[in-house]
Every structure is written in C-alpha cells, then in structure tokens.
Amino acid sequence: TFKEYHTPAKIDGVLQIIYPSPDALLGAMELGKADLTMQDLAPLHAEKASGIKHLTVTDTPWIGWTYIGLNMRRPPFNDPVFRQALAHATDCRTLVEVLLDGHGVAGGAGRVIAPANKFWYNPNVKQYEFSIDKARKLLKDAGYEWDEEGRLYYPAPSK
C-alpha cells in the first residue's frame, strides 16, 4: 500500500471562479488568472488557446450527447414516416464539421450514445443515409404535398 495516500494536499486551497462566457474564461487563462478548465471550449476557443505558449489543449473523446427531442404526441412528429424522412434529411456529418469544426462523431436518429461510451454504445443501431431524395419520396408516398413555394402540407385526412 501507499503510505502517504491520505496525506493532505500541499496547497492553501482551491478557488473556483465561474466565468460568464468562454471568451472571459479564455482571457483569464491567457493572463494566467485561471489554471485549468473542465468546461468544453468551442473549436474556435480551443484553437486560440493552443496558440498560447503556457497553455496545453487536450482533445478527448466525450461520452455525453447533444440531441433534438421531438414531441411525438403532436403532428407531424407523431407520424413515423415523417420522422424517418427527417432522419434522411438531416446531414449529421456536416453538422459536426460546421458546428464542431470536425471535433466530434456524427450521431443521427437513434444514435445518441457516443462511441467513447463503449459499454452502452451499439454500433448496430440503424443509420439513416443523408438523402433529400429519399426523404421527399417517403413523404410523397405517405401523402404529403408541397405547394408552389415549397411548403410541406400534411396528407389529407382519410374518410
């Protein structure tokens, strides 16, 4: 066993400061007023931080998730065909490239658990190919219609 395991830390204390924005946090780190952060930095802030000599930026896999929840009790989200079309019409890879500057893994419909969370991640969850044509076909086959301005209309109710 390690005899000094319960030896108190040799510091006077820890001061936790909550910064109002990532810009303020980055400024404090640049000035040496903040030593570390566990807060995720946007790609732009991480890029700026990596150019500051006394800072080290670490890019690690994240086991969290970001998702959009749909109220499936309300039209049109209560229609499985509409949700499948929405899955085909969402370009998750481009979202990762544009919003995260490529620092992420594209998810998608039913894929909210990141691969870094190996215990819960299921690589066999169905992936929906990004295809506006497939989305349009699904909607058209289900009776949805578009007006001349491109607005989508629900199918006519069955009698």
Side-chain angles (χ1 to χ4, degrees), residues 6 13 15 22 32 37 39 47 50-51 54 57 59 69-70 75-76 80 82 85 89 97 100 105 122 140 145 159:
H6 293 286
L15 177 61
T37 181
Q39 178 180 340
E47 185 180 320
S50 66
H54 65 273
V57 175
D59 192 359
L70 306 174
F82 182 87
E97 289 301 318
L100 300 175
V105 178
N122 181 355
K140 184 178 179 186
E145 297 177 4
K159 296 180 180 182

mmCIF file of all heavy atoms in Angstrom, residues 6 13 15 22 32 37 39 47 50-51 54 57 59 69-70 75-76 80 82 85 89 97 100 105 122 140 145 159:
data_model
loop_
_atom_site.group_PDB
_atom_site.id
_atom_site.type_symbol
_atom_site.label_atom_id
_atom_site.label_comp_id
_atom_site.label_asym_id
_atom_site.label_seq_id
_atom_site.Cartn_x
_atom_site.Cartn_y
_atom_site.Cartn_z
ATOM 1 N N HIS A 6 -3.257 9.131 2.260
ATOM 2 C CA HIS A 6 -4.186 10.064 2.900
ATOM 3 C C HIS A 6 -3.508 11.349 3.355
ATOM 4 O O HIS A 6 -4.053 12.097 4.140
ATOM 5 C CB HIS A 6 -4.899 9.388 4.072
ATOM 6 C CG HIS A 6 -5.826 8.302 3.625
ATOM 7 N ND1 HIS A 6 -7.025 8.565 3.027
ATOM 8 C CD2 HIS A 6 -5.706 6.953 3.651
ATOM 9 C CE1 HIS A 6 -7.632 7.440 2.715
ATOM 10 N NE2 HIS A 6 -6.854 6.436 3.072
ATOM 11 N N GLY A 13 -5.534 26.110 -0.775
ATOM 12 C CA GLY A 13 -6.950 25.982 -1.053
ATOM 13 C C GLY A 13 -7.214 26.008 -2.549
ATOM 14 O O GLY A 13 -6.294 26.145 -3.350
ATOM 15 N N LEU A 15 -9.742 27.864 -5.393
ATOM 16 C CA LEU A 15 -10.698 28.929 -5.661
ATOM 17 C C LEU A 15 -11.359 28.619 -6.996
ATOM 18 O O LEU A 15 -10.696 28.544 -8.024
ATOM 19 C CB LEU A 15 -9.986 30.287 -5.725
ATOM 20 C CG LEU A 15 -10.851 31.495 -6.064
ATOM 21 C CD1 LEU A 15 -11.942 31.691 -5.016
ATOM 22 C CD2 LEU A 15 -9.983 32.738 -6.172
ATOM 23 N N PRO A 22 -17.216 31.764 -22.512
ATOM 24 C CA PRO A 22 -15.951 31.143 -22.910
ATOM 25 C C PRO A 22 -14.863 32.181 -23.229
ATOM 26 O O PRO A 22 -13.691 31.947 -22.967
ATOM 27 C CB PRO A 22 -16.322 30.329 -24.158
ATOM 28 C CG PRO A 22 -17.777 30.066 -24.018
ATOM 29 C CD PRO A 22 -18.331 31.283 -23.328
ATOM 30 N N GLY A 32 -3.121 34.143 -17.123
ATOM 31 C CA GLY A 32 -2.602 33.376 -16.001
ATOM 32 C C GLY A 32 -3.458 33.486 -14.753
ATOM 33 O O GLY A 32 -3.017 33.146 -13.660
ATOM 34 N N THR A 37 -9.472 24.370 -16.886
ATOM 35 C CA THR A 37 -10.919 24.343 -17.055
ATOM 36 C C THR A 37 -11.345 22.932 -17.422
ATOM 37 O O THR A 37 -10.625 22.208 -18.103
ATOM 38 C CB THR A 37 -11.399 25.328 -18.140
ATOM 39 O OG1 THR A 37 -12.827 25.240 -18.221
ATOM 40 C CG2 THR A 37 -10.818 25.024 -19.501
ATOM 41 N N GLN A 39 -14.462 22.902 -18.552
ATOM 42 C CA GLN A 39 -15.511 23.332 -19.470
ATOM 43 C C GLN A 39 -15.080 23.032 -20.899
ATOM 44 O O GLN A 39 -13.923 23.224 -21.264
ATOM 45 C CB GLN A 39 -15.741 24.835 -19.300
ATOM 46 C CG GLN A 39 -16.771 25.413 -20.223
ATOM 47 C CD GLN A 39 -16.942 26.914 -19.984
ATOM 48 O OE1 GLN A 39 -16.585 27.429 -18.947
ATOM 49 N NE2 GLN A 39 -17.476 27.602 -20.961
ATOM 50 N N GLU A 47 -8.738 26.450 -30.520
ATOM 51 C CA GLU A 47 -7.699 26.820 -31.486
ATOM 52 C C GLU A 47 -6.900 28.020 -30.976
ATOM 53 O O GLU A 47 -5.677 28.030 -31.042
ATOM 54 C CB GLU A 47 -8.340 27.139 -32.833
ATOM 55 C CG GLU A 47 -7.353 27.415 -33.941
ATOM 56 C CD GLU A 47 -8.060 27.723 -35.260
ATOM 57 O OE1 GLU A 47 -9.068 27.053 -35.556
ATOM 58 O OE2 GLU A 47 -7.599 28.630 -35.961
ATOM 59 N N SER A 50 -4.677 26.932 -28.049
ATOM 60 C CA SER A 50 -3.497 26.143 -28.439
ATOM 61 C C SER A 50 -2.359 27.030 -28.936
ATOM 62 O O SER A 50 -1.214 26.605 -28.968
ATOM 63 C CB SER A 50 -3.869 25.095 -29.495
ATOM 64 O OG SER A 50 -4.250 25.731 -30.694
ATOM 65 N N GLY A 51 -2.654 28.285 -29.272
ATOM 66 C CA GLY A 51 -1.618 29.215 -29.698
ATOM 67 C C GLY A 51 -0.999 30.006 -28.549
ATOM 68 O O GLY A 51 -0.092 30.812 -28.760
ATOM 69 N N HIS A 54 1.823 29.083 -22.752
ATOM 70 C CA HIS A 54 1.783 28.403 -21.451
ATOM 71 C C HIS A 54 0.535 27.520 -21.257
ATOM 72 O O HIS A 54 0.345 26.961 -20.187
ATOM 73 C CB HIS A 54 1.897 29.418 -20.300
ATOM 74 C CG HIS A 54 0.751 30.358 -20.210
ATOM 75 N ND1 HIS A 54 0.703 31.532 -20.925
ATOM 76 C CD2 HIS A 54 -0.411 30.302 -19.501
ATOM 77 C CE1 HIS A 54 -0.425 32.166 -20.644
ATOM 78 N NE2 HIS A 54 -1.121 31.441 -19.796
ATOM 79 N N VAL A 57 -3.784 22.322 -24.728
ATOM 80 C CA VAL A 57 -5.151 21.936 -25.081
ATOM 81 C C VAL A 57 -5.164 20.432 -25.319
ATOM 82 O O VAL A 57 -4.337 19.905 -26.055
ATOM 83 C CB VAL A 57 -5.630 22.693 -26.342
ATOM 84 C CG1 VAL A 57 -7.004 22.196 -26.769
ATOM 85 C CG2 VAL A 57 -5.659 24.192 -26.083
ATOM 86 N N ASP A 59 -7.603 17.253 -26.526
ATOM 87 C CA ASP A 59 -8.839 16.859 -27.203
ATOM 88 C C ASP A 59 -9.113 15.411 -26.812
ATOM 89 O O ASP A 59 -8.342 14.513 -27.139
ATOM 90 C CB ASP A 59 -8.638 16.982 -28.722
ATOM 91 C CG ASP A 59 -9.928 16.881 -29.502
ATOM 92 O OD1 ASP A 59 -10.992 16.697 -28.889
ATOM 93 O OD2 ASP A 59 -9.869 16.970 -30.734
ATOM 94 N N GLY A 69 -34.970 16.611 -29.275
ATOM 95 C CA GLY A 69 -36.112 15.776 -28.888
ATOM 96 C C GLY A 69 -37.366 16.240 -29.607
ATOM 97 O O GLY A 69 -37.588 17.439 -29.762
ATOM 98 N N LEU A 70 -38.154 15.318 -30.061
ATOM 99 C CA LEU A 70 -39.390 15.630 -30.779
ATOM 100 C C LEU A 70 -40.589 15.212 -29.929
ATOM 101 O O LEU A 70 -40.590 14.137 -29.338
ATOM 102 C CB LEU A 70 -39.429 14.879 -32.112
ATOM 103 C CG LEU A 70 -38.222 15.070 -33.029
ATOM 104 C CD1 LEU A 70 -38.325 14.149 -34.234
ATOM 105 C CD2 LEU A 70 -38.097 16.512 -33.454
ATOM 106 N N PRO A 75 -48.607 16.327 -34.238
ATOM 107 C CA PRO A 75 -48.281 16.257 -35.660
ATOM 108 C C PRO A 75 -47.234 17.318 -36.009
ATOM 109 O O PRO A 75 -47.210 18.365 -35.381
ATOM 110 C CB PRO A 75 -49.605 16.571 -36.359
ATOM 111 C CG PRO A 75 -50.661 16.486 -35.310
ATOM 112 C CD PRO A 75 -49.995 16.691 -33.997
ATOM 113 N N PRO A 76 -46.408 17.076 -36.938
ATOM 114 C CA PRO A 76 -46.267 15.868 -37.754
ATOM 115 C C PRO A 76 -45.353 14.829 -37.121
ATOM 116 O O PRO A 76 -45.114 13.769 -37.682
ATOM 117 C CB PRO A 76 -45.650 16.413 -39.043
ATOM 118 C CG PRO A 76 -44.768 17.522 -38.584
ATOM 119 C CD PRO A 76 -45.510 18.145 -37.415
ATOM 120 N N PRO A 80 -44.507 8.219 -37.934
ATOM 121 C CA PRO A 80 -43.194 7.580 -38.099
ATOM 122 C C PRO A 80 -42.559 7.865 -39.462
ATOM 123 O O PRO A 80 -41.332 7.996 -39.559
ATOM 124 C CB PRO A 80 -43.485 6.083 -37.936
ATOM 125 C CG PRO A 80 -44.792 6.006 -37.248
ATOM 126 C CD PRO A 80 -45.549 7.248 -37.596
ATOM 127 N N PHE A 82 -42.856 10.609 -41.241
ATOM 128 C CA PHE A 82 -42.296 11.960 -41.174
ATOM 129 C C PHE A 82 -40.953 11.938 -40.429
ATOM 130 O O PHE A 82 -39.977 12.559 -40.853
ATOM 131 C CB PHE A 82 -43.266 12.920 -40.485
ATOM 132 C CG PHE A 82 -42.746 14.328 -40.438
ATOM 133 C CD1 PHE A 82 -42.966 15.192 -41.498
ATOM 134 C CD2 PHE A 82 -42.013 14.775 -39.349
ATOM 135 C CE1 PHE A 82 -42.468 16.490 -41.476
ATOM 136 C CE2 PHE A 82 -41.514 16.065 -39.318
ATOM 137 C CZ PHE A 82 -41.736 16.922 -40.381
ATOM 138 N N ALA A 85 -38.294 10.472 -42.626
ATOM 139 C CA ALA A 85 -37.901 11.461 -43.634
ATOM 140 C C ALA A 85 -36.996 12.518 -43.010
ATOM 141 O O ALA A 85 -35.988 12.923 -43.610
ATOM 142 C CB ALA A 85 -39.141 12.108 -44.253
ATOM 143 N N ALA A 89 -33.212 13.601 -43.970
ATOM 144 C CA ALA A 89 -32.969 14.988 -44.383
ATOM 145 C C ALA A 89 -31.977 15.723 -43.470
ATOM 146 O O ALA A 89 -31.656 16.874 -43.720
ATOM 147 C CB ALA A 89 -34.293 15.755 -44.413
ATOM 148 N N GLU A 97 -18.998 18.935 -38.805
ATOM 149 C CA GLU A 97 -17.948 19.731 -39.459
ATOM 150 C C GLU A 97 -18.153 21.226 -39.232
ATOM 151 O O GLU A 97 -17.207 21.943 -38.907
ATOM 152 C CB GLU A 97 -17.910 19.443 -40.973
ATOM 153 C CG GLU A 97 -17.378 18.069 -41.323
ATOM 154 C CD GLU A 97 -15.965 17.825 -40.820
ATOM 155 O OE1 GLU A 97 -15.116 18.732 -40.931
ATOM 156 O OE2 GLU A 97 -15.715 16.723 -40.289
ATOM 157 N N LEU A 100 -18.771 21.944 -34.950
ATOM 158 C CA LEU A 100 -17.701 21.496 -34.060
ATOM 159 C C LEU A 100 -16.338 21.471 -34.738
ATOM 160 O O LEU A 100 -15.385 20.934 -34.174
ATOM 161 C CB LEU A 100 -18.032 20.104 -33.509
ATOM 162 C CG LEU A 100 -19.326 19.984 -32.710
ATOM 163 C CD1 LEU A 100 -19.581 18.527 -32.322
ATOM 164 C CD2 LEU A 100 -19.266 20.866 -31.478
ATOM 165 N N VAL A 105 -18.235 13.093 -33.351
ATOM 166 C CA VAL A 105 -18.679 11.922 -34.092
ATOM 167 C C VAL A 105 -20.133 12.152 -34.470
ATOM 168 O O VAL A 105 -20.956 12.493 -33.610
ATOM 169 C CB VAL A 105 -18.556 10.644 -33.226
ATOM 170 C CG1 VAL A 105 -19.073 9.426 -33.980
ATOM 171 C CG2 VAL A 105 -17.115 10.437 -32.793
ATOM 172 N N ASN A 122 -23.907 1.116 -29.192
ATOM 173 C CA ASN A 122 -24.279 -0.017 -30.038
ATOM 174 C C ASN A 122 -24.021 0.363 -31.493
ATOM 175 O O ASN A 122 -24.783 1.140 -32.084
ATOM 176 C CB ASN A 122 -25.761 -0.368 -29.844
ATOM 177 C CG ASN A 122 -26.199 -1.550 -30.691
ATOM 178 O OD1 ASN A 122 -25.440 -2.069 -31.507
ATOM 179 N ND2 ASN A 122 -27.431 -1.971 -30.517
ATOM 180 N N LYS A 140 -43.772 11.887 -49.987
ATOM 181 C CA LYS A 140 -44.722 11.839 -51.111
ATOM 182 C C LYS A 140 -45.550 10.557 -51.062
ATOM 183 O O LYS A 140 -46.772 10.583 -51.212
ATOM 184 C CB LYS A 140 -43.964 11.944 -52.439
ATOM 185 C CG LYS A 140 -44.887 11.996 -53.625
ATOM 186 C CD LYS A 140 -44.111 12.159 -54.912
ATOM 187 C CE LYS A 140 -45.073 12.195 -56.083
ATOM 188 N NZ LYS A 140 -44.396 12.213 -57.357
ATOM 189 N N GLU A 145 -47.775 16.726 -49.354
ATOM 190 C CA GLU A 145 -47.727 17.517 -50.592
ATOM 191 C C GLU A 145 -46.990 18.818 -50.339
ATOM 192 O O GLU A 145 -46.891 19.281 -49.200
ATOM 193 C CB GLU A 145 -49.140 17.820 -51.079
ATOM 194 C CG GLU A 145 -49.937 16.591 -51.454
ATOM 195 C CD GLU A 145 -51.361 16.922 -51.868
ATOM 196 O OE1 GLU A 145 -51.712 18.121 -51.931
ATOM 197 O OE2 GLU A 145 -52.123 15.975 -52.115
ATOM 198 N N LYS A 159 -61.079 9.403 -44.980
ATOM 199 C CA LYS A 159 -62.510 9.500 -44.644
ATOM 200 C C LYS A 159 -63.058 8.205 -44.141
ATOM 201 O O LYS A 159 -62.661 7.164 -44.332
ATOM 202 C CB LYS A 159 -63.289 9.952 -45.892
ATOM 203 C CG LYS A 159 -62.883 11.332 -46.303
ATOM 204 C CD LYS A 159 -63.653 11.762 -47.527
ATOM 205 C CE LYS A 159 -63.226 13.153 -47.937
ATOM 206 N NZ LYS A 159 -63.924 13.662 -49.047
#
